[in-house]
Amino acid sequence: MKLRKVTAASAVVLALALSATACGSNDKKDEGSSGGGGKKITVGIKFDQPGLGQKTPQGYSGFDVDVAKYVAKKLGYDENQIEWKESKSGDRETMLQRGDVDFITATYSITPEREQKVDFAGPYLLAHQDVLVRADDDSIKSPADLNSKKLCSVTGSTSAQNVKDKLAPKADLQQYPTYSACLSGLQNKAIDALTTDDSILAGYASQEQFKGKFKLGGLKMTNENYGIGVKKGSDLKDKINKALEDMVSDGSWQKAVDANLGPANYKNEPAPKIGDIKS
C-alpha cells in the first residue's frame, strides 16, 4: 500500500513536470534574429500612412508593408507568422533597443544620429521632400514659388519649417493636425501646398477619394534614404540586405511601388544599391 502511494505521487510529479515543459515550449516566441523558421516575427510599421503603412479593417497595406512581407518571407516567415506593431516616429529607436520588434519598416530615414542607436539595412527607397498641389495649379515650379503661398505644416513636423527657413522665407505656414486635414484644406483652397516626403504625399494622394485631384511638384528638396531598422549588432541586417537585393532583382520591388504609389503618378527613383546613402 505504501509503495502504491509513493508511485502515485511520483506519477503526479512527473505529469506536472512534463506539462510545464510542454507549456514552456509552446509559449516561447522564437527570436527573429535566429534567421527565420520560428513561430512569429514582430515587425514595426506605420498604421496611419496610406500607400505606405496603414491598418485597415481588411488588414495591413502599403509599400512598406509589402517590403516587410517580402523580407519576412525570405527570412522564413509566412505572412500569418508576422506580428505587426505600430511604430510611431518618436518610438522607433526605443522599440528596437528594447527588443519590442525584430525590424522596422516605417518611412525610416537613415541618418547619422539614428545610426548611433540602431543599425539599418538598405536603403530600399530614395524619397525626397516635395510639395503636393492641386492638379490644376501650375504656379509652383520651384521652392522659391512657395513664397507668399499658404504652405501646410502638420503640427510637430519640421518639413514646412525647413522650407520657410532655407528656401522660401515668405511662405505662409498653416498648421493642421493631420495630413488628411491638409489634403482637405488643399482641396477647398484654404492652402496652396502641402510638404513632406514625396512617397508620403503620393500615398495620401493615391487614396480613392483623392485620385486625380492632386499632383506632386517634383521639387526634390532633400534626399530621404529609407532603411529597415534593426537592433544594434543584429545579424538580421545582412539577411535583410540580401532579401532587398532579391526583391529588386525579381521585379517585386517595382511592382510594389507601382501598386501602392503609382495612382498619384509618383516618379520613383531607381531602387538604391545597398549601402548607397544619398546626402
Side-chain angles (χ1 to χ4, degrees):
M1 193 66 164
K2 185 176 181 181
L3 178 61
R4 288 183 63 189
K5 286 183 178 179
V6 172
T7 302
S10 299
V12 171
V13 172
L14 179 60
L16 288 173
L18 289 173
S19 175
T21 302
C23 289
S25 174
N26 290 336
D27 293 343
K28 180 174 173 56
K29 171 183 175 283
D30 292 324
E31 295 296 328
S33 60
S34 65
K39 293 180 180 179
K40 291 285 183 182
I41 188 166
T42 306
V43 181
I45 57 169
K46 292 291 181 67
F47 278 13
D48 59 353
Q49 284 186 338
L52 290 158
Q54 186 177 27
K55 183 179 181 180
T56 70
Q58 293 74 38
Y60 301 90
S61 63
F63 175 66
D64 280 348
V65 173
D66 287 347
V67 170
K69 288 178 181 177
Y70 188 98
V71 168
K73 185 72 173 176
K74 287 289 183 176
L75 294 175
Y77 297 89
D78 293 329
E79 186 175 334
N80 61 8
Q81 294 175 299
I82 301 174
E83 179 183 350
W84 302 102
K85 281 197 174 183
E86 184 175 17
S87 298
K88 296 180 180 179
S89 295
D91 299 335
R92 290 176 297 199
E93 285 85 38
T94 302
M95 292 179 72
L96 288 168
Q97 291 169 336
R98 286 194 313 224
D100 296 342
V101 290
D102 294 304
F103 66 84
I104 289 178
T105 310
T107 58
Y108 202 0
S109 295
I110 302 171
T111 67
E113 294 78 18
R114 290 171 178 163
E115 286 184 303
Q116 293 178 11
K117 301 175 182 177
V118 300
D119 285 341
F120 285 97
Y124 65 92
L125 183 72
L126 177 59
H128 307 281
Q129 186 178 345
D130 200 357
V131 294
L132 194 72
V133 298
R134 289 181 293 278
D136 60 355
D137 185 355
D138 295 321
S139 66
I140 300 174
K141 295 182 171 61
S142 73
D145 293 331
L146 293 169
N147 282 306
S148 301
K149 297 284 188 180
K150 292 180 180 179
L151 183 63
C152 191
S153 169
V154 174
T155 305
S157 169
T158 59
S159 298
Q161 191 64 50
N162 287 340
V163 172
K164 184 173 177 64
D165 289 347
K166 300 175 183 177
L167 301 169
K170 294 182 181 180
D172 180 11
L173 291 187
Q174 304 285 314
Q175 288 203 341
Y176 282 61
T178 65
Y179 288 116
S180 294
C182 281
L183 284 170
S184 296
L186 188 58
Q187 187 173 358
N188 63 31
K189 299 185 179 181
I191 61 168
D192 300 306
L194 161 62
T195 186
T196 189
D197 297 359
D198 54 8
S199 58
I200 296 174
L201 295 172
Y204 276 97
S206 294
Q207 295 177 96
E208 191 64 38
Q209 69 269 34
F210 294 131
K211 283 182 181 178
K213 296 181 178 179
F214 307 116
K215 65 182 179 182
L216 290 162
L219 303 188
K220 296 185 178 181
M221 293 180 278
T222 64
N223 291 327
E224 305 296 335
N225 303 271
Y226 290 175
I228 296 182
V230 297
K231 190 173 185 177
K232 201 76 175 170
S234 171
D235 63 357
L236 279 180
K237 177 180 175 179
D238 291 340
K239 296 171 185 176
I240 293 174
N241 278 334
K242 177 63 171 63
L244 291 174
E245 289 174 339
D246 290 345
M247 189 176 188
V248 172
S249 64
D250 70 14
S252 298
W253 182 88
Q254 189 62 54
K255 183 179 178 181
V257 172
D258 293 341
N260 292 291
L261 305 175
N265 295 318
Y266 177 62
K267 304 292 192 299
N268 66 279
E269 297 277 5
K273 295 185 183 303
I274 299 301
D276 184 13
I277 310 297
K278 302 291 186 185
S279 60

